[in-house]
Amino acid sequence: MRDHALAGGGVADKKVRKPARASAPGSASCAPDGADAQKTPGKRKRKRRRKHGRRVFVRGDRSTPQAEVLVPASNQAEPAQPASAPAVREARHRDDQRLYAALDLGTNNCRLLVATPTKPGRFRVVDAFSRIVRLGEGLSLAGELSDAAMDRAIEALGVCAQKLEGRKLAGLRLIATEACRSAGNGDTFIKRVLSETGLKLEVISRETEARLAVSGCSSLVTRETEGVVLFDIGGGSSEIALIDTSRRRSPRLAEHIVSWTSLPVGVVSLAEKFGGHVVTPESFEEMVAHVAAMLDKFEGRDRLSHLGDPSRFHLLGTSGTVTTLAGVHLDLPRYDRRRVDGLWMDRESVDRMIVRLLSWDFDARKANPCIGAERADLVLAGCAILEAIRRQWPSERLRVADRGLREGMLNEMMARDGVWRRTKRNRSAA
């Protein structure tokens, strides 16, 4: 299972412990069926005595993202069956692993991560869920969440509730963003979620949303970086944070935010206003101008102007727009987070991808494996927001982040509990 890096270098840990040899079918045994039958009973007993007290690996069910689980060898007297997902979770609890969960219900997506801290600044994902629910569909026109949109979101939240049920969690945070902030019936929806799923959602402010985005992407800002324009293009709003690290650098990147704004526009609302199925170069420029007018009202937009040369700062995007753009850029046969997260794209590459997407009709966008039917009518609206940001802060490089609010919440909860400080102390004592 790959670690998410949050504090220092963005490269995930790749060390994998090799399973110890075990005789039980369905566990870590490498011997062919019937191999033990050729051995005398005495030899088999001696082998068991030698293994007494050791820990062996038992493979988990493929339905769970946790690949391996540690079980005492003394429990393996009888042939073991492949572990089910609940059994894997119970074994994890017996090992006293600290689990944290973070859920982000946005205007377009519902996402959940369950993770356990590993090395300082890192965590391993134990379970995950993501579904496009389009909670904000029609919100910009009606001012309220529709019944169909709320039903879709509650269905997805029900899946999340099932994944959280029975887990012993050291930390849990469940947030909702722009759709619930701006909808006239947002409070009613939050109460319905609690009643039908048992999940108590916290509607966060735009400032908190910007801070969490920065916290979630902190490991992608390298030590030599002097300035960053970090943006999160959402479904109903877009958060932008200007980060200045030219004078000093602390472990908490959010402390270096010198200015931030939340634009009341996202891919869903912009596509509903200008159209998302048929997008011409002319209508695309109208969308860019619409967003640019909002940026002109951002009073803190010049807080990185002292850096001068565009090579001294870069853009950092965390959203479905930039990850989709990166997937198309790489010509991926299917979306692959490992290749996208942390990818650098130069200015010319981004230009080419936007022109390429503009040349495709709706069906061509829908057919691309990194876009698909669920994003085909939204991706160019996202590109228009991206283009307005690029024109406001012309940089030579864009870094792509497939991470964001959930990672930010996990990072803050784990740091608050000091789990990584204890890890350092334990290693020093050893």
Side-chain angles (χ1 to χ4, degrees):
M1 188 62 60
R2 186 174 70 258
D3 285 1
H4 275 45
L6 288 177
V11 179
D13 291 337
K14 295 185 179 179
K15 292 183 179 180
V16 178
R17 292 181 59 184
K18 294 183 178 180
R21 299 177 68 89
S23 60
S27 67
S29 175
C30 297
D33 293 342
D36 285 343
Q38 300 174 4
K39 299 178 182 179
T40 65
K43 288 183 179 179
R44 188 179 301 113
K45 288 180 181 179
R46 284 196 297 273
K47 184 176 181 181
R48 285 177 181 171
R49 283 198 297 269
R50 286 196 299 268
K51 290 171 59 177
H52 182 72
R54 292 175 59 192
R55 295 166 75 82
V56 298
F57 281 101
V58 177
R59 289 285 179 185
D61 187 277
R62 291 183 182 272
S63 64
T64 174
Q66 205 60 46
E68 295 174 332
V69 102
L70 286 169
V71 180
S74 57
N75 291 344
Q76 301 300 309
E78 297 296 326
Q81 299 299 318
S84 65
V88 171
R89 288 197 292 269
E90 291 173 5
R92 282 291 180 187
H93 295 331
R94 287 198 297 270
D95 287 344
D96 294 326
Q97 290 220 349
R98 295 176 65 86
L99 293 178
Y100 293 80
L103 183 147
D104 167 26
L105 177 63
T107 302
N108 200 43
N109 294 277
C110 176
R111 299 185 178 100
L112 170 72
L113 277 184
V114 181
T116 182
T118 54
K119 294 180 179 180
R122 299 172 182 265
F123 61 77
R124 181 175 63 252
V125 174
V126 174
D127 205 351
F129 174 80
S130 180
R131 180 182 295 177
I132 294 178
V133 296
R134 297 203 179 205
L135 177 60
E137 186 175 55
L139 175 60
S140 62
L141 304 176
E144 292 190 341
L145 304 173
S146 70
D147 290 338
M150 289 189 288
D151 289 343
R152 289 193 299 267
I154 287 177
E155 182 182 356
L157 289 168
V159 176
C160 295
Q162 292 175 1
K163 287 180 172 289
L164 294 174
E165 185 178 4
R167 291 190 185 275
K168 183 180 178 182
L169 297 173
L172 170 67
R173 192 170 186 186
L174 317 170
I175 66 169
T177 56
E178 183 62 24
C180 294
R181 277 196 300 258
S182 59
N185 58 347
D187 289 341
T188 302
F189 170 70
I190 295 296
K191 293 176 182 176
R192 182 182 165 191
V193 170
L194 178 61
S195 173
E196 297 187 27
T197 70
L199 300 179
K200 187 175 183 179
L201 296 177
E202 168 195 359
V203 182
I204 62 172
S205 68
R206 292 184 175 94
E207 182 176 7
T208 299
E209 188 172 354
R211 189 197 75 238
L212 288 174
V214 172
S215 180
C217 298
S218 59
S219 65
L220 295 181
V221 178
T222 58
R223 299 294 302 181
E224 63 271 13
T225 298
E226 295 183 83
V228 175
V229 177
L230 185 146
F231 58 91
D232 182 357
I233 301 173
S237 68
S238 298
E239 279 61 48
I240 302 172
L242 273 58
I243 302 167
D244 184 0
T245 55
S246 61
R247 296 179 178 87
R248 63 183 182 89
R249 178 71 181 265
S250 68
R252 291 177 59 84
L253 191 65
E255 295 178 0
H256 297 282
I257 299 175
V258 293
S259 186
W260 71 274
T261 189
S262 179
L263 305 181
V265 64
V267 295
V268 175
S269 56
L270 193 62
E272 288 179 345
K273 182 177 181 63
F274 290 92
H277 284 75
V278 179
V279 181
T280 65
E282 293 75 22
S283 63
F284 181 79
E285 282 299 324
E286 290 177 4
M287 287 193 282
V288 174
H290 180 73
V291 179
M294 296 181 184
L295 288 174
D296 288 340
K297 299 176 182 178
F298 175 28
E299 295 181 356
R301 63 184 182 276
D302 296 327
R303 294 290 177 84
L304 294 180
S305 59
H306 64 280
L307 296 179
D309 189 343
S311 65
R312 297 179 63 187
F313 72 93
H314 68 81
L315 304 179
L316 176 55
T318 166
S319 68
T321 294
V322 292
T323 56
T324 298
L325 204 67
V328 176
H329 167 68
L330 294 172
D331 286 322
L332 297 179
R334 57 180 295 182
Y335 184 80
D336 185 348
R337 181 190 184 277
R338 294 169 298 179
R339 295 189 60 186
V340 168
D341 187 47
L343 177 73
W344 287 101
M345 294 181 67
D346 58 34
R347 183 187 303 171
E348 292 74 19
S349 296
V350 178
D351 288 340
R352 283 196 302 271
M353 288 307 100
I354 293 178
V355 171
R356 185 179 179 186
L357 290 178
L358 271 172
S359 70
W360 292 351
D361 61 13
F362 177 80
D363 289 336
R365 298 195 300 272
K366 181 179 176 180
N368 185 276
C370 292
I371 301 176
E374 293 179 323
R375 293 187 182 275
D377 62 331
L378 304 177
V379 64
L380 284 172
C383 287
I385 298 173
L386 169 61
E387 183 61 21
I389 292 171
R390 294 175 68 224
R391 292 180 187 180
Q392 179 65 56
W393 295 281
S395 175
E396 296 177 357
R397 298 180 301 160
L398 164 67
R399 196 165 200 190
V400 178
D402 188 345
R403 59 183 73 194
L405 303 185
R406 295 173 301 167
E407 288 82 359
M409 287 185 280
L410 291 172
N411 188 17
E412 291 192 352
M413 286 188 288
M414 293 176 185
R416 174 202 66 199
D417 290 352
V419 296
W420 293 313
R421 290 198 300 272
R422 285 194 290 272
T423 300
K424 287 182 179 179
R425 285 197 299 268
N426 292 340
R427 288 183 178 177
S428 298

